[in-house]
Amino acid sequence: MRPGFRAAMTWLHDWTGILTGWVLLAIVLSGTLSVFRSEINVWMRPELAGRTADPVRATIAAIDWLHDHAPRSPAWYLTAANPRAPFTWAVWQQPDGPFVQHALDPASGAPDTIRDTLGGEFFYRFHFELQIPYPFGRLVAAVAAMALVLALVTGIVAHRRFFADFFTFRPHKGQRSWLDAHNLLGVTVLPFHLVIAFSGAVTLASLLLPWGILSAYRGAPAQFQDALSPAMAARPATGTPGTLAPMEPILHEAARRFGPDGIGQIYVYNPGDAAATLIAIGGNGRHVGFDSHVLRFDGTTGRILADYREHRPMISTFATLYGLHVARFAPPLTRWLYFVCGLLLAAVIASGLRLRTLRRRRQGKSTEAVERLNAGMIAGIPVAFAGYFLANRLLPATLPDRAGHEVQAVFTLWGLMLVLAAALPSATGWRVLSVLAMLALGGVAGFSAPWLNGIDQGAAIVAILLAAGFGYAASRRPAPGGRAR
Amino acid sequence: MAAVAILGELAGALLLALGNARGGHALLRRPVPPARRRLARNAGFCLLGAALWGLIRAEGDLLFALTAWALSSGSACILAALACTMRDRAPVRPTPRQTVTGPLS
């Protein structure tokens, strides 16, 4: 290998990290939290603590409620209750266009008894949409995922002493310590980093490389969707009013055919029309691959129109990669490992950002502005995300558009943290923001009281450990050369 | 079974650290001869392999087990690296030769 190649890879690694590091950090942290999406859903809806739900009964209740309150909606999308999330998550389109989403009570099917919050769905959507309108947010996430793949591959080439430094971490040595931490956290969990980055890029690949689809389907994306998921196609509405068939036999038949996978999702298209279609999708909790078993019913008669299992090799490969990314299959131990490895990936990105400023400072270049922004992002994002949990407990339960206010709290706090970091000298900014992160996370641990169930205990433990980490960071006194004492 | 497998991974990661020049020096406070390092490394790989076998038996699914194994062995290596760091930073206790005086010295 020519020495110039390694230097070029190092340059590419640095610049990829600099240009996408902040966005990647937000994406990785929200993705890490999404691993516990269902548990966050329950934490943020304390009304549901300790409740259990029968998925068939809860879905029937939800459909009955939607039948009464959203009869003219073109479609209802329901995620069935399961042992991790004892409620039905419903998204439906209003006749005039906008979508509404609510958790529905498993017994009554109404949203009134459960506080209005997006719960873990916020982190899940933010992870790949960044709260930016379609398709721009997804495009940014897709580019960031590709950049992460590139940064990892170039990092492998750039890291000269891959195996010699495998067990090396030399603390309190300034830039050397940050480099050791960056290498150690990057190399030891490299398979996870590579799989998550690659599968994330593949998941959004159609946005990055749309030309194949455009050329094959000649600008008819609906045909592509039909080819991708043949059983999911809805029949066009006839305009003739119709009545939905009784749901209980349909859902029991679906549950019987899905077996131990259970019912995952139910879509009802054109519910008030004679051509109503009901799609039942099997759960994915028992397979790595996201390969769906789909049943299509005639909504008015309950007759099965299709019983489809995906076996096409390319789609199964995609489904396996997607399944590895979203980790729905993961049993509790593996889910915790995903969470820990996600935090480690965030630490790799943060240490890389810090390393870059330290290296430039040693070269005598000014890094103050970037250092302040680093503080605003690296310590600011945890403050903002912790603020989401705090807003959930502090906002009145009956506040109108409560879910929207919770999301606003995240971005208001994040903006404030960035302003604060920009206004303070970087060393002070790091310390102040670390203290704020520690307090916010301590608040999350406090609001998890009385720690009676596993979710509250898990949330409190994670929050306390992260708060301790930020507390430790705040206690360090950076020396002029960037070397902590 | 899964817990035993993960403990095996931790032990395997420590043996791998022992088989690494820098890690071995940090853990034992003295250079480790190459032959012993090789032995430790091979034993570490064997333990990691045994942990994978244990996870396959515990999970009942190869892909589930491989995923859990890859994630947990990475975390085990980080813990081993931190163990090396802590051991390296711990104050050196004087050896008997340095403390004992009199006829034996």
Side-chain angles (χ1 to χ4, degrees):
Chain A
M1 190 183 292
R2 289 185 293 118
F5 179 68
R6 181 162 274 151
M9 290 296 106
T10 307
W11 178 88
L12 196 55
H13 180 77
D14 285 358
W15 276 101
T16 310
I18 292 160
L19 293 177
T20 57
W22 292 329
V23 176
L24 273 173
L25 189 67
I27 290 174
V28 169
L29 279 176
S30 53
T32 301
L33 286 166
S34 301
V35 171
F36 288 118
R37 176 160 60 138
S38 297
E39 286 72 18
I40 293 172
N41 276 332
V42 175
W43 191 93
M44 296 186 84
R45 295 181 180 91
E47 305 82 18
L48 292 167
R51 287 184 71 173
T52 54
D54 173 51
V56 170
R57 288 190 183 287
T59 306
I60 292 169
I63 287 177
D64 285 348
W65 187 87
L66 286 166
H67 183 266
D68 294 340
H69 293 85
R72 290 178 55 235
S73 169
W76 306 331
Y77 304 95
L78 306 175
T79 302
N82 60 63
R84 285 174 66 197
F87 61 90
T88 308
W89 179 248
V91 179
W92 66 93
Q93 194 178 2
Q94 291 178 327
D96 51 343
F99 282 87
V100 183
Q101 43 192 350
H102 273 294
L104 302 181
D105 188 283
S108 67
D112 315 330
T113 54
I114 305 172
R115 68 180 65 192
D116 181 22
T117 174
L118 290 180
E121 305 301 320
F122 165 69
F123 294 115
Y124 173 68
R125 306 295 301 191
F126 182 84
H127 175 60
F128 60 92
E129 289 185 336
L130 298 163
Q131 210 72 12
I132 300 172
Y134 180 85
F136 305 108
R138 292 187 185 208
L139 262 174
V140 173
V143 171
M146 279 303 295
L148 183 56
V149 175
L150 186 66
L152 289 168
V153 173
T154 52
I156 293 167
V157 179
H159 185 14
R160 235 168 292 180
R161 296 161 56 80
F162 206 90
F163 292 106
D165 287 347
F166 207 79
F167 293 98
T168 307
F169 176 59
R170 288 157 285 189
H172 309 304
K173 291 189 188 299
Q175 186 183 326
R176 165 56 57 194
S177 304
W178 285 101
L179 184 60
D180 279 350
H182 186 67
N183 289 341
L184 178 68
L185 299 177
V187 169
T188 46
V189 201
L190 188 62
F192 170 82
H193 299 337
L194 277 174
V195 167
I196 283 294
F198 180 68
S199 55
V202 167
T203 303
L204 296 169
S206 62
L207 284 170
L208 289 172
L209 302 165
W211 303 284
I213 298 166
L214 289 176
S215 139
Y217 292 91
R218 301 279 170 210
Q223 284 179 16
F224 169 65
Q225 285 302 329
D226 290 349
L228 194 65
S229 321
M232 302 277 274
R235 297 180 297 178
T238 59
T240 311
T243 310
L244 282 177
M247 282 296 124
E248 193 158 354
I250 295 178
L251 294 176
H252 277 301
E253 177 61 15
R256 188 185 69 76
R257 291 191 182 222
F258 292 145
D261 289 340
I263 298 174
Q265 288 167 307
I266 298 284
Y267 299 165
V268 184
Y269 293 109
N270 306 312
D273 193 90
T277 312
L278 188 141
I279 311 282
I281 305 167
N284 287 106
R286 295 172 64 251
H287 319 278
V288 173
F290 215 76
D291 46 355
S292 298
H293 181 183
V294 180
L295 297 171
R296 184 157 50 140
F297 293 89
D298 183 319
T300 51
T301 64
R303 188 168 56 90
I304 290 186
L305 301 174
D307 182 342
Y308 184 80
R309 284 173 195 265
E310 184 58 69
H311 290 301
R312 290 170 290 177
M314 284 309 292
I315 296 189
S316 297
T317 306
F318 174 83
T320 302
L321 282 170
Y322 182 60
L324 276 172
H325 191 88
V326 296
R328 298 249 170 94
F329 71 92
L333 172 67
T334 313
R335 208 172 299 136
W336 274 106
L337 289 168
Y338 259 82
F339 182 78
V340 170
C341 292
L343 288 180
L344 295 178
L345 180 55
V348 172
I349 295 166
S351 59
L353 288 167
R354 179 92 175 113
L355 199 52
R356 170 74 183 172
T357 54
L358 290 180
R359 196 180 298 158
R360 283 179 65 82
R361 196 189 295 172
R362 275 171 74 99
Q363 292 165 352
K365 295 172 183 165
S366 169
T367 58
E368 184 62 17
V370 179
E371 198 62 81
R372 290 181 187 195
L373 275 171
N374 268 350
M377 296 299 277
I378 296 171
I381 295 173
V383 175
F385 283 179
Y388 179 63
F389 290 89
L390 296 180
N392 175 263
R393 292 298 160 89
L394 293 173
L395 291 174
T398 52
L399 185 72
D401 189 24
R402 196 176 177 286
H405 284 98
E406 285 180 3
V407 174
Q408 281 167 11
V410 175
F411 293 100
T412 308
L413 269 173
W414 196 351
L416 281 174
M417 292 304 113
L418 282 169
V419 169
L420 193 61
L424 294 170
S426 63
T428 314
W430 274 112
R431 191 168 301 170
V432 169
L433 264 69
S434 296
V435 168
L436 288 173
M438 184 185 72
L439 293 175
L441 287 160
V444 174
F447 277 117
S448 300
W451 309 293
L452 290 177
N453 59 51
I455 292 174
D456 290 346
Q457 289 159 0
I461 289 169
V462 169
I464 287 168
L465 287 176
L466 291 175
F470 278 106
Y472 178 74
S475 72
R476 308 293 301 164
R477 186 159 57 92
R483 185 170 164 164
R485 284 183 203 145
Chain B
M1 191 66 174
V4 175
I6 285 172
L7 281 176
E9 276 182 322
L10 276 171
L14 274 174
L15 282 169
L16 283 183
L18 205 59
N20 176 277
R22 202 189 288 268
H25 191 275
L27 285 175
L28 296 183
R29 296 283 174 80
R30 58 183 161 79
V32 185
R36 288 194 184 175
R37 275 200 275 126
R38 202 174 310 120
L39 187 70
R41 207 161 44 229
N42 289 341
F45 283 127
C46 286
L47 264 179
L48 286 180
L52 174 61
W53 178 79
L55 278 172
I56 292 170
R57 286 198 55 149
E59 301 281 357
D61 183 296
L62 179 65
L63 211 46
F64 275 38
L66 268 175
T67 312
W69 180 80
L71 298 174
S72 51
S73 56
S75 308
C77 285
I78 291 177
L79 289 177
L82 290 178
C84 290
T85 303
M86 288 200 298
R87 178 83 178 130
D88 201 28
R89 288 174 56 76
V92 181
R93 272 187 299 176
T95 59
R97 193 178 289 255
Q98 289 168 309
T99 51
V100 177
T101 54
L104 286 174
S105 62

